[in-house]
Amino acid sequence: MTQLMTEDGIRCDGRRVDELRNVSIKVGVLKNADGSAYIEFGKNKILAGVFGPRDVHPKHMANQDTGILRCRYHMSPFSVTERKNPAPSRREIEISKVIKEALLPALILKDFPRTVTDVYVEVLQADGGSRCAALDAAAVALADTGIPMRDLVSACAAGKVADRIVLDVNNEEDQEGQADMPVAMMPSVGKITLMQLDGILTPEEYKTCLKTAIGGCKRVYEIQRKALMEKYFQNGEQ
Amino acid sequence: MNLGSVILDQLKRDKIMDLLKEGKRVDGRALDEQRPLSIETGVIPKANGSARVRLGNTEVITGVKIQPDKPFPDLGDKGILICTAEILPLADPNVEPGPPTEEVIELARVVDRGIRETEMIDLHQLVLQEDKSVIGLFIDSSILDADGNLFDACSYASVAAILSCTVPKYEIKDDAPVLVEGVTSKAPVKTLPVSVTMARIGDYIIVDPTAEEEACMDARITITSNSEGNICALQKGGSDGFAVDQLIRCSEMALSTGTKIRKRFEQLT
């Protein structure tokens, strides 16, 4: 078992307990998609492409009153140490669902009845916390389409490693740590739209962990905003 | 969706909302009150353990089958634990036979996570020969009648079935597990997980939503705690979110409701 934290609180990848991995986001990286984004979150490399609002196929899925959102989170076979079977696993289907439900509160789909907005997320390389990174990219890609949104959605995990609450759990810490709590929120509205937990926390640790994750979401939010500004303001576009 | 049902949904939602403002629910429960829970164990004698749980009108039957298996490659020092769930087509007019939907996959994974992450079963005690042969516990839940909060009903039935199960004894002979007739033991249980599902409707948080309440909820959360009063697994669902103070309140409600349900489990051991 690798040592997850030194005595002076330095983690296995050299970070302090409250430090985020390096995050960079690029907006509008795909030509065909209506909106797209590429994120590097530590060693995670993830692409998000959004199509829509567009006609719904199959037609019976269409809703007269509102647009619908579909989400697919998928990991490339080469994204992890052991080759992953390309067929969607139960884990990927569950993550697709929680990502969809995390994005829905931010979207104003009522203006687009009988349409669908498709969000496709491809994890090219995975490194722990991929659902949060995927969600961060998906939210930016949605914003890139110009679809009306109440807020961005920013995600970041916190967890418990070597009896301490840490921000942004990496792969080793996820495997061997004590708890992992992915959180997504609409930072301006202050609403939590995704939350999961694996691992044992006391009620006090639960509160600290949630607070820590929210702090991470707010830092990610700034990076998402900057990425969008870069595309839409510095190139002179509207 | 046809127009008729939309109008009905809106009427139901209005009624549910009006009652919530007075602190009441359609079936007369308090906001933090669960429906009556009945737990019956040993209902399927051919299974190693089984339980039938009724939570209001939601009804689940869970069976535990135990058999020797190969361990997962990276977990050679642990036995196998797998929880599944299926909504039988006879349980709900909207369910059709076929591959599992997103909702069902989430249900099974949340039930599994609750039992796994609390470390209810000491999986180290289920190893016959390290890296080669272990005992597997397969905990399969079938929903017989669906009236909301399938998460808790499946979780309670799974926990009760595990508590009731007798684990057959296996020995390694010539590198293969062999059943030792007539010797059984209880499952190595370390703690009692209790899952508590809450729904948010407007600004109100209600425990154990019915199907009607689920149809008009904004968001849902399932929190599983262990005997020590720690929070071990959590899943938010539904198409809206929670405020931070609501999440803290939900965790407190999950712990207090958990204590009550745990007493029911203790009667089974």
Side-chain angles (χ1 to χ4, degrees):
Chain A
M1 191 163 159
T2 46
Q3 197 195 350
L4 290 177
M5 200 178 298
T6 66
E7 277 169 22
D8 7 324
I10 300 296
R11 292 153 73 178
C12 60
D13 55 8
R15 283 183 293 153
R16 295 184 309 272
V17 287
D18 59 349
E19 203 173 333
L20 207 62
R21 286 174 286 184
N22 285 332
V23 182
S24 67
I25 302 174
K26 237 181 131 181
V27 185
V29 289
L30 302 174
K31 182 179 150 285
N32 281 313
D34 297 320
S36 61
Y38 173 70
I39 189 168
E40 290 197 356
F41 202 122
K43 288 181 221 153
N44 285 301
K45 295 178 192 296
I46 300 171
L47 259 178
V50 178
F51 293 89
R54 60 180 177 180
D55 283 350
V56 187
H57 293 288
K59 274 205 165 127
H60 67 83
M61 282 184 76
N63 187 328
Q64 304 298 318
D65 300 315
T66 178
I68 60 168
L69 180 69
R70 285 190 298 217
C71 245
R72 177 180 117 127
Y73 162 101
H74 184 254
M75 287 171 78
S76 300
F78 46 78
S79 62
V80 275
T81 317
E82 298 274 320
R83 177 177 181 268
K84 192 210 146 275
N85 184 329
S89 64
R90 292 168 67 85
R91 173 181 169 276
E92 285 167 290
I93 294 170
E94 185 205 339
I95 293 180
S96 302
K97 181 173 188 286
V98 294
I99 287 182
K100 177 179 78 189
E101 292 174 340
L103 293 168
L104 265 174
L107 297 171
I108 304 170
L109 293 171
K110 277 250 184 297
D111 298 348
F112 304 94
R114 295 178 297 279
T115 67
V116 63
T117 302
D118 282 306
V119 176
Y120 297 117
V121 184
E122 187 69 23
V123 180
L124 303 170
Q125 182 170 282
D127 177 39
S130 69
R131 78 192 63 190
C132 290
L135 196 39
D136 293 327
V140 171
L142 275 165
D144 185 37
T145 63
I147 191 169
M149 290 171 82
R150 296 184 175 88
D151 197 352
L152 271 177
V153 177
S154 311
C156 188
K160 185 178 171 189
V161 172
D163 293 324
R164 292 186 66 175
I165 301 298
V166 301
L167 179 65
D168 183 22
V169 173
N170 69 26
N171 198 32
E172 291 77 17
E173 293 170 336
D174 183 24
Q175 300 291 316
E176 296 177 24
Q178 294 153 296
D180 178 24
M181 180 195 274
V183 171
M185 71 185 300
M186 291 154 67
S188 316
V189 182
K191 192 179 256 182
I192 308 289
T193 64
L194 175 145
M195 190 176 176
Q196 293 179 294
L197 169 68
D198 289 333
I200 302 176
L201 296 175
T202 66
E204 250 345 280
E205 286 170 339
Y206 166 79
K207 288 180 200 161
T208 318
C209 205
L210 178 55
K211 245 182 242 160
T212 306
I214 288 171
C217 292
K218 289 184 174 159
R219 306 240 286 271
V220 170
Y221 176 63
E222 290 308 319
I223 301 166
Q224 289 174 304
R225 244 171 58 102
K226 226 178 88 198
L228 284 164
M229 302 270 266
E230 257 163 38
K231 178 175 174 191
Y232 285 104
F233 292 102
Q234 290 184 358
N235 296 349
E237 277 183 66
Q238 177 45 43
Chain B
M1 200 189 288
N2 64 46
L3 195 60
S5 70
V6 176
I7 292 169
L8 189 63
D9 285 348
Q10 193 55 48
L11 282 172
K12 267 187 194 162
R13 192 189 156 96
D14 291 349
K15 179 73 186 165
I16 289 171
M17 275 305 287
D18 287 348
L19 283 170
L20 283 175
K21 281 178 197 150
E22 302 165 27
K24 289 184 197 155
R25 291 164 79 172
V26 174
D27 53 11
R29 280 184 289 158
L31 270 53
D32 61 351
E33 187 182 345
Q34 284 189 314
R35 290 170 289 177
L37 170 69
S38 83
I39 306 173
E40 203 185 329
T41 56
V43 291
I44 307 288
K46 283 210 173 176
N48 300 88
S50 60
R52 184 184 201 126
V53 159
R54 289 189 185 83
L55 184 59
N57 289 323
T58 293
E59 188 173 341
V60 178
I61 199 157
T62 298
V64 182
K65 292 298 260 182
I66 300 177
Q67 55 199 51
D69 208 325
K70 284 206 171 82
F72 292 114
D74 50 339
L75 296 167
D77 60 343
K78 280 184 176 179
I80 290 174
L81 168 77
I82 293 174
C83 300
T84 75
E86 190 186 359
I87 307 177
L88 301 182
L90 53 78
D92 189 324
N94 301 313
V95 169
E96 287 171 28
T101 60
E102 264 184 3
E103 284 72 23
V104 175
I105 289 175
E106 183 187 31
L107 169 64
R109 288 179 61 84
V110 169
V111 172
D112 185 280
R113 197 171 297 150
I115 291 171
R116 189 179 302 281
E117 296 299 331
T118 47
E119 297 172 6
M120 177 188 181
I121 298 172
D122 186 0
L123 295 177
H124 293 293
Q125 287 193 37
L126 300 178
V127 178
L128 298 169
Q129 194 177 11
E130 197 158 319
D131 294 325
K132 287 202 175 134
S133 186
V134 298
I135 293 176
L137 264 67
F138 299 87
I139 300 144
D140 301 305
S141 298
S142 295
I143 289 137
L144 310 180
D145 216 347
D147 186 23
N149 195 5
L150 306 181
F151 291 92
D152 293 352
C154 285
S155 179
Y156 300 161
S158 300
V159 170
I162 292 168
L163 291 176
S164 77
C165 80
T166 50
V167 184
K169 188 174 167 63
Y170 289 92
E171 273 178 2
I172 298 292
K173 272 186 191 150
D174 304 327
D175 271 351
V178 179
L179 180 70
V180 182
E181 293 283 352
V183 187
T184 60
S185 58
K186 292 225 139 215
V189 171
K190 295 202 292 186
T191 190
L192 297 174
V194 181
S195 145
V196 177
T197 296
M198 289 147 281
R200 178 175 75 76
I201 303 178
D203 290 331
Y204 302 95
I205 308 281
I206 54 171
V207 172
D208 182 28
T210 61
E212 266 179 15
E213 289 169 332
E214 281 181 352
C216 66
M217 70 184 175
D218 296 297
R220 184 199 79 221
I221 192 162
T222 302
I223 301 180
T224 307
S225 60
N226 65 8
S227 302
E228 289 70 42
N230 294 319
I231 296 161
C232 305
L234 182 152
Q235 177 100 340
K236 177 251 148 189
S239 54
D240 203 343
F242 285 91
V244 177
D245 62 312
Q246 288 169 336
L247 289 171
I248 306 287
R249 197 141 52 85
C250 285
S251 71
E252 290 162 357
M253 285 163 88
L255 288 173
S256 61
T257 308
T259 314
K260 289 180 215 155
I261 298 293
R262 198 165 288 110
K263 290 203 178 97
R264 302 286 299 275
F265 289 151
E266 280 160 4
Q267 290 166 7
L268 299 174
T269 55

